[in-house]
Amino acid sequence: VDEPRWLDDEQQRAWRRLAAVVLRLPAALEAQLQRDAGMSHFEYWVLALLSEAGERSLRLSELARQANASLSRLSHVVTRLQARGWVVREADPVDARATRAVLTDAGFEALAAAAPGHVGLVRSTVFDGLGPHEVRELGRLCETILAGIEPADGAGSGVSGAPLGSGGALG
Amino acid sequence: VDEPRWLDDEQQRAWRRLAAVVLRLPAALEAQLQRDAGMSHFEYWVLALLSEAGERSLRLSELARQANASLSRLSHVVTRLQARGWVVREADPVDARATRAVLTDAGFEALAAAAPGHVGLVRSTVFDGLGPHEVRELGRLCETILAGIEPADGAGSGVSGAPLGSGGALG
DNA sequence: AAAGATTGAAGACTCAATCTTC
DNA sequence: GAAGATTGAGTCTTCAATCTTT
């Protein structure tokens, strides 16, 4: 496919590597969690978000937004998590249309059991090779890319107010 | 989940963003390709790899390696691509165990039709916000992360010998 | 009509089992 | 026995249709 060069050499090399990261990193995390904790990375992420939310519960639509997922996908996942006793559905008191997902004690324990192995893998694969300056650089670059993906997104990105602060299960 | 802080604040912020990129970037590329070209990002990637290979063909195992996929996944995908007339299977002359996937003219045309839109999106989402120095930095960081994912991987990473050089459909 | 959510069907990926050739 | 590849079953995701509440 030859056309006027869309990407220069440097961009192409970066893209090949970024594409590989985007393909392999999730696969690696997925494999570890599935093997050691019997849950998917996405399920872990959902449990972690709930664990950091007030009352350990969130509306499904809000949870979907924070998890970067569609509402449909989230609803299916919550159904599975509920079947395992890790989450329960609860009617929202202020808006009868809404449903809240609430993390159970069993769900919290499952998350707590899974967290060390998962966070350990994140650290060893991503951060062990990076110095403090590079970590900041990585964060900055990812922020720029995210801005490129969704130009229109409303104000707060919502990550600021996480109750647990650092050391949480999100990594 | 409170435990001795596994990740410091800076690492946690970077990780949240990297996780979002890893979740959203594929989704954005997927949506565009599906809508405009009727193919998945992975299918596009496979066609692009074949288009850059000698004879426009590769062994399935080699193709799987270059595409960062399992052989099983690749076999399923090749079956679908074959059903659409974009690829054909061919017995390998030197090793009767092996199967080669060969890009057809129709497949090449489909790739050529899909490439501008796809590469355009890659450029606008990822590279438009980045200066030359940042692109190199991104490439370097991704390389480091990849090294962390697979410590044991054998010698050459195999990207060097791509026939088409820059301007190819890989982006 | 829009927002929040659920459901079922279709398509894709993973895993394990299987087959052939080296 | 190991490497290359295929297949089928089970699971997950997406998409569209549907339902209720605002």
Side-chain angles (χ1 to χ4, degrees), chain A residues 7-156:
Chain A
L7 265 52
D8 65 38
D9 288 356
E10 222 32 86
Q11 289 175 329
Q12 229 184 100
R13 292 176 57 209
W15 171 237
R16 288 204 189 221
R17 288 175 183 160
L18 178 57
V21 167
V22 154
L23 215 51
R24 286 187 175 175
L25 185 54
L29 299 175
E30 198 67 40
Q32 182 271 327
L33 274 171
Q34 201 60 252
R35 173 168 43 77
D36 298 345
M39 65 177 75
S40 72
H41 186 209
F42 186 71
E43 290 172 335
Y44 177 93
W45 196 259
V46 167
L47 296 179
L49 286 171
L50 286 175
S51 80
E52 299 197 347
E55 315 271 316
R56 288 186 186 169
S57 80
L58 286 171
R59 283 190 181 187
L60 293 203
S61 51
E62 173 62 16
L63 190 49
R65 197 186 62 73
Q66 289 191 28
N68 298 302
S70 71
L71 189 52
S72 172
R73 177 181 185 185
L74 194 79
S75 180
H76 282 299
V77 169
V78 167
T79 299
R80 284 171 233 147
L81 292 175
Q82 192 165 20
R84 287 196 245 178
W86 289 347
V87 157
V88 293
R89 279 180 161 91
E90 189 174 274
D92 188 302
V94 302
D95 187 338
R97 292 174 303 177
T99 305
R100 301 185 69 83
V102 186
L103 186 65
T104 64
D105 289 344
F108 189 84
E109 282 164 27
L111 175 64
H118 173 64
V119 178
L121 184 63
V122 170
R123 192 159 43 62
S124 68
T125 56
V126 178
F127 294 109
D128 273 0
L130 271 40
H133 175 263
E134 290 171 305
V135 171
R136 274 193 300 280
E137 193 64 17
L138 177 64
R140 242 178 39 72
L141 289 171
C142 287
E143 191 176 18
T144 304
I145 292 173
L146 286 175
I149 295 177
E150 305 207 42
D153 191 43

Side-chain angles (χ1 to χ4, degrees), chain B:
Chain B
V1 182
D2 60 57
E3 304 255 349
R5 304 163 58 134
W6 298 301
L7 266 50
D8 65 38
D9 288 355
E10 222 33 84
Q11 289 175 329
Q12 230 184 102
R13 291 177 58 209
W15 170 236
R16 288 201 188 223
R17 288 176 183 160
L18 178 57
V21 167
V22 154
L23 215 53
R24 286 186 176 177
L25 184 54
L29 299 175
E30 198 67 41
Q32 183 270 325
L33 274 171
Q34 202 60 252
R35 173 167 43 76
D36 298 345
M39 66 178 74
S40 72
H41 186 210
F42 186 70
E43 290 171 335
Y44 177 92
W45 196 258
V46 167
L47 295 179
L49 287 171
L50 286 176
S51 80
E52 299 197 347
E55 315 272 315
R56 288 186 186 169
S57 80
L58 285 172
R59 283 190 182 188
L60 293 202
S61 51
E62 173 62 16
L63 189 50
R65 198 184 62 72
Q66 289 191 29
N68 300 303
S70 72
L71 189 51
S72 173
R73 177 181 184 184
L74 194 79
S75 180
H76 282 299
V77 169
V78 168
T79 299
R80 284 172 235 145
L81 292 176
Q82 192 165 20
R84 286 196 245 177
W86 290 346
V87 158
V88 293
R89 280 180 162 91
E90 189 174 275
D92 188 302
V94 302
D95 187 338
R97 292 174 301 178
T99 306
R100 301 184 68 84
V102 186
L103 187 64
T104 65
D105 289 344
F108 190 85
E109 282 164 27
L111 175 64
H118 173 64
V119 178
L121 184 63
V122 169
R123 191 158 44 62
S124 69
T125 56
V126 178
F127 293 109
D128 273 0
L130 270 40
H133 176 264
E134 289 171 304
V135 171
R136 273 194 300 280
E137 192 65 17
L138 177 64
R140 242 178 38 71
L141 289 171
C142 287
E143 192 176 18
T144 303
I145 293 172
L146 286 175
I149 295 177
E150 306 207 41
D153 190 41
S157 42
V159 171
S160 44
L164 261 184
S166 54
L170 283 179

